């Protein structure tokens, strides 16, 4: 496992000058992150020492212009690639990170929002966004979620099982409406960085199996159901995918099912090829394909399907989330306890910060790797092997497993961990009764609070004892 440099050397490769329109998909830090002349890190014109003084730590720091640029790049790539077909839609995967303002920014850039719960859907609606700009996912949708989707006119409900197909038909019949639905197919294509986030193999909770014939049964039943409007097929093969090959293979399988449906007289005007587009968390990670590369590959698969089947081209949608928000956000921590621990190869410096697994569970859950950098100054001290850990009562409470940090790092320093926008705040918890951090957006020297920091009083308010 490589050791990431977290000192001034981060200024070289990872803090490169911003490139136009968000085409920095190999970058670990956001487009407007730089190291100032006095040695401290700054994001979008805001020195991180100023941000810590005004907002406290730990705090999620969003480079809002970078996130919007990445969304815009996906939209442009899909529009260009699918222009010869029937067009394209990009659904931002709200599960990665969601707030009312962030949803507004995504829609302003031409995206729709993919939601996976009542809470996510209500957040988008509360932002003033119509249901028609939303999709609803989930393997076990409640009656309340389905009713809300029908009431607000969502673009589609993604059906995940035969049981759910009957459930949605029943609720739509009670209301005297037709529910617009996709069917989520299990293609058998397995892609992604960890078994827990690979979602297209058979032995897992999502989707209608193609190999067992359940997918085709679902197509026939949905097409015949009087209160379902079957408009498309859906596929999602995993997360943190750094190659176009898996997407191309899954697209070909789903499109073959669309061709079969056409032979049965079932018209499917749309197809959703999911998300899972990867990013880099450390310099050891492969550079992922650009949105343009993914879009061209997907469009080519659809064009070949149209040529072979003779069917009209479908409208194509995708669901990027991580690739839009992950590199656009960093976590700013304050350093507390620093101590050296003897290990077989010498010693390791343990750097404790004022957060941990409650604001980034991915290292503990998926063994995900991150890097870190000293944020408030540049040090000329030698680099030491370090491990950044949190303050929770768990030995697995690790933020960055291996990183090179200056030997003189000490209590009160600031530490920045990049690429936390996806699933950091979204999966945050109150373990050990820690409060969830604030989320702030920075742009052109301004700090805007998006989600306020929880207080202990907030936690006590839930306790009715």
């Amino acid at each position: 496992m490589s050791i990431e440099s977290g000192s001034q050397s981060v200024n070289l490769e990872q803090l490169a000058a911003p490139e136009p329109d968000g085409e920095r998909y190999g970058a670990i830090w956001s487009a407007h992150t730089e190291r100032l002349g006095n040695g401290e890190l700054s994001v979008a014109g805001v020195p991180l020492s100023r941000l810590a003084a005004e907002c406290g730590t730990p705090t999620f720091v969003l480079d809002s212009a970078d996130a919007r640029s990445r969304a815009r790049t996906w939209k442009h790539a899909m529009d260009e690639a699918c222009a010869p077909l029937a067009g394209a839609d990009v659904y931002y995967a709200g599960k990665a990170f969601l707030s009312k303002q962030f949803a507004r920014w995504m829609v302003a850039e031409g995206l729709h929002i993919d939601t996976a719960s009542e809470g996510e859907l209500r957040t988008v609606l509360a932002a003033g966004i119509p249901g028609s700009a939303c999709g609803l996912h989930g393997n076990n949708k409640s009656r309340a979620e389905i009713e809300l989707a029908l009431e607000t006119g969502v673009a589609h409900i993604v059906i995940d099982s035969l049981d759910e197909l009957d459930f949605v038909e029943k609720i739509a019949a009670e209301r005297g409406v037709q529910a617009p639905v996709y069917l989520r197919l299990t293609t058998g294509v397995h892609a992604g960085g960890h078994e827990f986030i690979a979602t297209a193999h058979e032995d897992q909770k999502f989707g209608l199996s193609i190999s067992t014939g359940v997918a085709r049964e679902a197509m026939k039943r949905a097409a015949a159901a009087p209160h379902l409007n079957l408009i498309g097929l859906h596929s999602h093969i995993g997360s943190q995918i750094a190659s176009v090959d898996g997407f191309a293979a899954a697209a070909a399988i789903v499109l073959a099912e669309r061709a079969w449906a056409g032979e049965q007289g079932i018209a499917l005007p749309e197809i959703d090829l999911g998300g899972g587009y990867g990013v880099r968390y450390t310099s050891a990670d492969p550079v992922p394909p650009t949105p343009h590369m993914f879009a061209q590959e997907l469009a080519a698969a659809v064009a070949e399907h149209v040529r072979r089947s003779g069917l009209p081209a479908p409208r194509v949608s995708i669901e990027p989330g991580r690739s839009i928000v992950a590199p656009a956000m960093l976590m700013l921590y304050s350093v507390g306890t620093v101590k050296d621990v003897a290990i077989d190869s010498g010693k390791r410096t343990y750097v404790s910060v004022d957060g941990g697994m409650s604001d980034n569970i991915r290292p503990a859950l998926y063994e995900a790797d991150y890097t870190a950098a000293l944020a408030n100054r540049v040090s000329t001290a030698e680099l030491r092997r370090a491990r950044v850990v949190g303050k929770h009562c768990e030995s697995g409470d690790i933020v960055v497993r291996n990183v090179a940090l200056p030997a003189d790092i000490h209590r009160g320093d600031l530490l920045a961990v990049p690429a936390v926008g996806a699933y950091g705040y979204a999966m945050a918890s109150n373990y050990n009764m820690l409060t969830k951090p604030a989320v702030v957006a920075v742009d052109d020297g301004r700090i805007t609070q998006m989600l306020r920091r929880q207080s202990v009083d907030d936690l006590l308010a839930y306790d009715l004892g």
Side-chain angles (χ1 to χ4, degrees), residues 12 34 152 230 369 399 425:
L12 303 179
E34 60 181 337
T152 56
L230 177 59
D369 286 329
V399 178
Y425 190 89

Side-chain angles (χ1 to χ4, degrees), residues 13-14 16-32 63 65-81 278-280 287-296 323-324 327-328:
E13 175 191 359
Q14 306 308 339
E19 296 177 22
D21 209 23
E23 284 287 7
R24 300 180 70 249
Y25 278 79
I28 296 168
W29 299 81
S30 74
H32 306 103
D63 182 343
D66 186 39
R68 296 186 66 163
S69 179
R70 291 171 184 276
R72 188 163 57 246
T73 299
W74 271 113
K75 179 61 175 167
H76 289 173
M78 289 298 293
D79 284 348
E80 178 185 0
V279 301
R280 294 177 83 207
V287 176
T290 66
H292 177 80
M293 293 175 183
F294 278 120
Q296 291 295 326
S323 61
I324 291 173

Side-chain angles (χ1 to χ4, degrees), residues 377-400:
R377 61 188 177 92
V378 167
S379 170
T380 58
E382 65 175 337
L383 297 179
R384 295 271 181 87
R385 179 184 306 185
R387 176 164 292 171
V388 181
V389 295
K391 59 181 294 174
H392 294 283
C393 192
E394 292 284 343
S395 58
D397 178 24
I398 297 171
V399 178
V400 182

